[in-house]
Amino acid sequence: MAMALDAQDDPSDDTLLALYGQGDRAAARTLAERLAPLAFRVAQRMLRDPAEAEDVAQEAMLRLWRAAPGWQAGAAKVSTWLYRVVVNLCTDRLRRRRSVPLDDGPEPEDGRPGADEGLIEADRAAALDAALQTLPERQREAVVLRHLEGLANPEIAEIMGVGVEAVESLTARGKRGLVQALAGRRAELGYGDG
């Protein structure tokens, strides 16, 4: 039998999900505070649209809440399961975007005009985001999960449903693609001569 949430110092995601499955709303709140930001971050990196990323994060969390009563502790890490759901939801949205004829689609955003344009970090982040969008979906997923989310290759392999060697290959090809996409922009992005 699981202990009450307030009786534990730092309960695991599995414990929190099990407690929520038994009706503990405080466990759900704690788990949401812990996992919703990572779901949003991954969706934002893949979709580049904050509103759409928020929708994906909310849908992923709803799916987690629906899975709570039948959750098998130890079968998979809760965060790994959530990453996979987010990546799949993003992939579905990206595929739907491609099916819209170019003339029927919304005009692309020009970025964030305003005071932050002059900030080097904002420029670097925008350049990275743009370069990420030049990568094929699977390479982008692997690079985002490995280098921006800091996940280990075995966890990425589980999320993406591929082997560790495939993750390594996708990540390496993605990094090469980023280098190519950013070639010649070192000085512009404040990295010296380039």
Side-chain angles (χ1 to χ4, degrees):
M1 175 141 192
M3 296 185 332
L5 180 58
D6 58 353
Q8 298 182 16
D9 292 331
D10 189 22
S12 70
D13 293 346
D14 268 346
T15 301
L16 290 170
L17 194 56
L19 287 170
Y20 172 70
Q22 298 168 6
D24 187 334
R25 297 217 181 269
R29 190 170 29 261
T30 301
L31 195 57
E33 289 169 359
R34 190 181 290 178
L35 297 179
L38 76 85
F40 176 77
R41 217 174 34 243
V42 171
Q44 171 67 17
R45 288 281 188 188
M46 291 186 67
L47 300 172
R48 296 184 65 200
D49 178 348
E52 205 171 6
E54 183 69 29
D55 289 346
V56 165
Q58 288 178 5
E59 176 63 25
M61 292 304 293
L62 284 173
R63 290 184 184 194
L64 182 63
W65 302 142
R66 282 188 224 124
W71 184 260
Q72 297 289 329
K77 284 178 59 179
V78 175
S79 60
T80 299
W81 183 92
L82 187 63
Y83 274 122
R84 184 174 197 140
V85 169
V86 170
V87 166
N88 288 342
L89 289 169
C90 289
T91 299
D92 289 346
R93 285 176 180 251
L94 290 169
R95 285 184 181 142
R96 273 184 271 161
R97 281 184 191 171
R98 280 188 294 211
S99 66
V100 174
L102 189 57
D103 292 339
D104 295 343
E107 287 294 319
E109 294 182 26
D110 290 337
R112 301 183 112 195
D116 65 350
E117 281 183 355
L119 299 174
I120 291 175
E121 288 305 313
D123 288 344
R124 288 177 180 172
L128 176 60
D129 284 343
L132 280 169
Q133 297 309 308
T134 66
L135 299 177
E137 283 179 34
R138 300 294 278 177
Q139 289 178 23
R140 182 171 55 244
E141 289 171 16
V143 169
V144 166
L145 293 173
R146 177 71 183 110
H147 295 289
L148 301 176
E149 290 301 313
L151 299 181
N153 286 349
E155 190 171 6
I156 297 169
E158 187 176 337
I159 292 166
M160 294 181 70
V162 298
V164 173
E165 289 179 0
V167 170
E168 292 168 355
S169 175
L170 287 166
T171 303
R173 286 184 290 162
K175 284 173 51 179
R176 283 193 301 269
L178 288 176
V179 167
Q180 185 177 14
L182 294 169
R185 297 193 63 196
R186 288 183 57 79
E188 171 191 344
L189 296 172
Y191 288 112
D193 296 332

